[in-house]
Amino acid sequence: MNYVKRVLYDNVITQAEFARQLGISRSHLGHFLNDGRKNTIITIKFLAYGLAKIDGQPWYIHAKNIRDEVHKRKFDLRVINGGKR
């Protein structure tokens, strides 16, 4: 998820530090970030709450941006595959 990575970069936080703050391993965070289309709304809220603690923005703004990015990625994959999933 480029959005999450961008927020971390803008706030000079490494993924390892963010994972530590969330209470998960770095590799688990990597699964969320690298395969975002499998993220549930619970995962999106979890990441959004963590980002809100970092930059002070409301969690729901982060959740909307993450969700929009996930939906955009799904749409792009359907276009590439000729409408097939």
Side-chain angles (χ1 to χ4, degrees):
M1 280 186 214
N2 291 328
Y3 176 77
V4 174
K5 291 176 184 177
R6 187 173 57 243
V7 172
L8 296 177
Y9 179 80
D10 290 346
N11 290 282
V12 193
I13 302 287
T14 65
Q15 289 181 21
E17 291 175 63
F18 185 52
R20 206 172 311 114
Q21 289 179 2
L22 293 174
I24 60 176
S25 69
R26 165 61 190 94
S27 62
H28 199 124
L29 177 62
H31 289 296
F32 291 150
L33 300 181
N34 296 325
D35 197 12
R37 66 178 188 261
K38 291 186 178 179
N39 288 339
T40 64
I41 190 65
I42 294 169
T43 305
I44 291 171
K45 279 181 79 172
F46 179 68
L47 293 172
Y49 279 120
L51 292 175
K53 290 179 182 178
I54 290 172
D55 70 357
Q57 283 192 27
W59 69 269
Y60 53 84
I61 292 175
H62 291 301
K64 180 191 178 306
N65 290 326
I66 293 169
R67 188 195 69 215
D68 290 348
E69 184 178 62
V70 168
H71 287 297
K72 180 180 179 240
R73 183 178 298 163
K74 283 183 181 178
F75 176 75
D76 290 345
L77 288 176
R78 279 186 271 145
V79 170
I80 292 169
N81 293 329
K84 301 175 187 172
R85 286 192 154 183

